[in-house]
Amino acid sequence: MLEMLPVLVATGAVVGFTAALLGVGGGFILVPVMYWVMSGAGVVDDIALRTAFGTSLLVIVPTVLSSTWRHHKNGAVAWRPAFILGGCGALAALAGSTLAAHLPTGALKIGFGVFILVISARMLIGIRNEGASTDWTSCPRTAHMVALGLSMGVIAGLTGLGGGALMVPALVLLFHFPMLRAVATSSAAIIFTAPGGIIGYIVNGLGVPGRLPYSVGYVNVAVFLALVVLSIPMAQLGAKTAHSIDGRKLRLLFVVLMVYVGLRMTGLFELLGS
């Protein structure tokens, strides 16, 4: 896998910037890249995919910590919703990652691809409305926050995503958060959600044969280090950029990337012989 080191480092840089700019974990980029790299290194599909999920969640933690610090300095994080979302999400992510460890690999790949396509469609619709909300004074009900946190956590555990792809649109559409505040609050919530999924992937992967060296359960430390080298400083840049530019054009580019990844993971290209 040494020849793939530059790919992993570059991927980490892209993910750090993306996660901070859009308030997502960046797993929609991390998971497929890690899966393709590990599959190319000879790791069997089911272990490669679950290791990609588990390692993605580990990379997400320092990345969102970095971006949240920047958002907090700019006063954009709504901490009470973030704590509720993150705490409930952590419990649900543990359950989701345990379920993912026992589901067929084909179902996980297709489910991941379909979810990415759904989120990309939602992001494309949201481009037209981005920045429409400029004032946020409501205080979301705790019960609603708990429901969103649990839903986000299950998805995070099942897919290796941070859950921000669900949380940001929900905060904007259901709770009328301004886009920037939703991005910042989502980043903060992911800090607490991701460790629940990490624990699940570690515990359920212990003793499984065929894993790459330096793996702890379904989390690979070597791949994590390669990805995180640039993700943290790039998260700072992404968070700073989120406060200074209109991100609609960049968001459109990521939608195109997500559509490609989603179609690739569902196996459509293989079905068409591409």
Side-chain angles (χ1 to χ4, degrees):
M1 284 184 46
L2 287 177
E3 66 275 11
M4 298 303 293
L5 186 61
V7 174
L8 293 173
V9 172
T11 299
V14 172
V15 165
F17 185 81
T18 306
L21 185 67
L22 303 181
V24 298
F28 67 90
I29 300 174
L30 285 171
V31 169
V33 170
M34 282 190 285
Y35 171 69
W36 294 327
V37 167
M38 287 184 278
S39 295
V43 180
V44 296
D45 274 4
D46 59 342
I47 294 177
L49 187 60
R50 291 178 181 124
T51 303
F53 286 162
T55 308
S56 169
L57 289 170
L58 186 60
V59 173
I60 284 169
V61 173
T63 302
V64 294
L65 272 170
S66 178
S67 63
T68 300
W69 178 76
R70 172 66 66 173
H71 286 306
H72 174 69
K73 285 186 64 178
N74 286 279
V77 179
W79 281 106
R80 180 180 176 274
F83 284 133
I84 296 172
L85 289 166
C88 296
L91 296 175
L94 177 59
S97 59
T98 300
L99 179 60
H102 297 91
L103 287 175
T105 304
L108 286 173
K109 285 178 64 178
I110 294 174
F112 178 88
V114 170
F115 181 71
I116 291 299
L117 291 173
V118 171
I119 293 301
S120 65
R122 177 63 197 85
M123 287 180 71
L124 184 61
I125 294 171
I127 289 172
R128 295 178 300 175
N129 301 321
E130 188 167 339
S133 179
T134 58
D135 183 40
W136 179 77
T137 56
S138 63
C139 183
R141 292 184 178 181
T142 299
H144 296 165
M145 291 286 101
V146 169
L148 177 58
L150 291 173
S151 302
M152 174 196 67
V154 170
I155 291 173
L158 276 172
T159 63
L161 305 177
L166 169 66
M167 194 167 9
V168 171
L171 290 175
V172 171
L173 295 175
L174 301 179
F175 304 117
H176 309 294
F177 276 57
M179 179 61 70
L180 182 57
R181 197 168 185 86
V183 165
T185 304
S186 170
S187 295
I190 292 170
I191 294 172
F192 307 102
T193 299
I198 294 167
I199 292 170
Y201 280 108
I202 288 176
V203 171
N204 287 282
L206 292 175
V208 175
R211 293 168 298 147
L212 285 171
Y214 311 110
S215 290
V216 181
Y218 286 124
V219 174
N220 188 270
V221 177
V223 174
F224 161 75
L225 292 175
L227 288 165
V228 84
V229 167
L230 291 182
S231 72
I232 294 175
M234 288 302 290
Q236 286 289 301
L237 178 60
K240 184 177 180 180
T241 303
H243 288 265
S244 61
I245 69 166
D246 178 356
R248 284 177 288 184
K249 291 183 179 179
L250 184 59
R251 184 178 291 255
L252 180 59
L253 291 176
F254 283 121
V255 167
V256 173
L257 174 63
M258 289 172 72
V259 170
Y260 169 77
V261 169
L263 293 175
R264 178 84 180 266
M265 293 299 283
T266 58
L268 182 62
F269 292 155
E270 289 80 359
L271 184 64
L272 296 175
S274 176

